[in-house]
Amino acid sequence: MFDAFKGFGVTFGTMFKKVVTEQYPEDFRPTAPRYHGRHQLNRHPDGLEKCVGCELCAWACPADAIFVEGGNNTEEERYSPGERYGKDYQINYLRCIGCGLCVEACPTRSLTMINFYELADDDRQHLIYTKEQLMAPLLPGMEQPPHPMRLGDDEQDYYVQAPAQARDPEVSDPVGEQVK
């Protein structure tokens, strides 16, 4: 019998408290630094794409939200250091559940998730992100692909020795040999 009065007590107790209202679009809280939001396709320090079109991210996606079509690099048109590159890359955010399995599956660390979280839209077509929308911006010193490799002669220079070369070309690699 007194249970109903206890329930009303909770209602009346919260009814007269000050309401906390967030002014979201104008004033929003920043997210945690490691928050997983929108995906991003990363680049090498010279501007070439890290994505090699292996489609492992699409295979790992439990929601089937990723579509990747690989293409072959040529000497005239080189988009990534390897033999292949991601010719067509799409993520459907209507299906994406934000689990991050695609990031874990990527062997070249091309795909990461950034801190951006505002993905709502009233048009379904705008929620299918293409490669152009997902690519990381070009930083100073980067060149828009296609262009020849700048960090070495083959893809091993990019994936094994690239961090040392990007910092200082005269730095030794972990084995102790001088980097060219």
Side-chain angles (χ1 to χ4, degrees), residues 34-163:
R34 293 179 56 173
Y35 175 79
H36 286 180
R38 186 178 68 83
H39 295 80
Q40 176 174 296
L41 291 170
N42 297 312
R43 299 177 183 269
H44 286 287
D46 65 350
L48 287 178
E49 303 166 5
K50 286 188 176 183
C51 180
V52 293
C54 66
E55 302 177 20
L56 287 175
C57 54
W59 282 95
C61 182
D64 199 25
I66 300 176
F67 172 76
V68 181
E69 180 182 351
N72 293 326
N73 281 317
T74 62
E75 291 305 319
E76 296 81 31
E77 284 193 27
R78 176 163 298 282
Y79 292 93
S80 72
E83 295 177 9
R84 296 175 49 85
Y85 71 100
K87 181 177 172 183
D88 189 9
Y89 199 102
Q90 297 177 7
I91 297 181
N92 185 344
Y93 280 103
L94 295 169
R95 301 189 78 171
C96 179
I97 59 175
C99 64
L101 291 175
C102 53
V103 174
E104 297 295 325
C106 184
T108 60
R109 299 294 298 154
S110 168
L111 188 64
T112 55
M113 294 176 90
I114 59 175
N115 217 352
F116 184 75
Y117 62 89
E118 296 178 350
L119 295 172
D121 202 329
D122 58 355
D123 187 5
R124 295 174 66 87
Q125 283 302 110
H126 292 157
L127 291 172
I128 300 174
Y129 280 53
T130 61
K131 179 181 173 180
E132 291 76 26
Q133 295 168 304
L134 294 169
M135 283 302 298
L138 289 170
L139 300 175
M142 290 184 175
E143 183 181 347
Q144 179 70 37
H147 63 77
M149 291 189 281
R150 308 266 192 250
L151 297 179
D153 297 330
D154 62 0
E155 62 270 2
Q156 291 298 319
D157 294 333
Y158 276 77
Y159 293 111
V160 177
Q161 302 170 357

